Amino acid sequence: MSSPHSKSAAVAAALSALDEGSTPERTVFREAVRSLLAVLAERAPGRSVEVRVPPYGAIQCVPGPRHTRGNPPNVVEMAPETWLMVATGRIGWAEAVAEGRVQMSGVRADLSAYLPLELS
């Protein structure tokens, strides 16, 4: 099990690699994505929106009606690179959506109230 420090380190390492124009190591990328997804789940507890960052993870978050079967009505999906940039505030939510880097559906899919995140 990872400590919170190593999660912050994974996010920093992944961002550093992206800043250098390279792809982070798969294990570092996975840990960074999952760490930030976990922070979002804590910051916006609930089960009305499914946030997907394939291939590394997906969570349910945001208060509201709970989804139980079939495709969820509120879905947000993006690439790992985009998730790291949006979650850490390197690009804004509106900018990422406008550029087509975020695919979303449903009335609760706007995550701008919860982003950017802060790692503790």
Side-chain angles (χ1 to χ4, degrees), residues 1 14 20 23 25 29 37 39 43 45 51 54 56 60 88 106 111 120:
M1 184 116 178
E20 294 169 1
T23 302
E25 286 183 37
F29 217 176
L37 285 172
V39 172
R43 184 168 179 187
V51 179
Y56 299 120
Q60 291 185 349
T88 59
L111 299 179
S120 42

Side-chain angles (χ1 to χ4, degrees), residues 1-58:
M1 184 116 178
S2 301
S3 70
H5 176 70
S6 68
K7 291 179 181 181
S8 296
V11 172
L15 288 171
S16 178
L18 291 172
D19 287 346
E20 294 169 1
S22 63
T23 302
E25 286 183 37
R26 185 170 175 82
T27 55
V28 170
F29 217 176
R30 181 180 61 237
E31 183 68 27
V33 166
R34 289 180 178 176
S35 296
L36 291 168
L37 285 172
V39 172
L40 177 60
E42 290 172 11
R43 184 168 179 187
R47 297 184 60 137
S48 69
V49 177
E50 185 165 294
V51 179
R52 301 173 181 166
V53 185
Y56 299 120

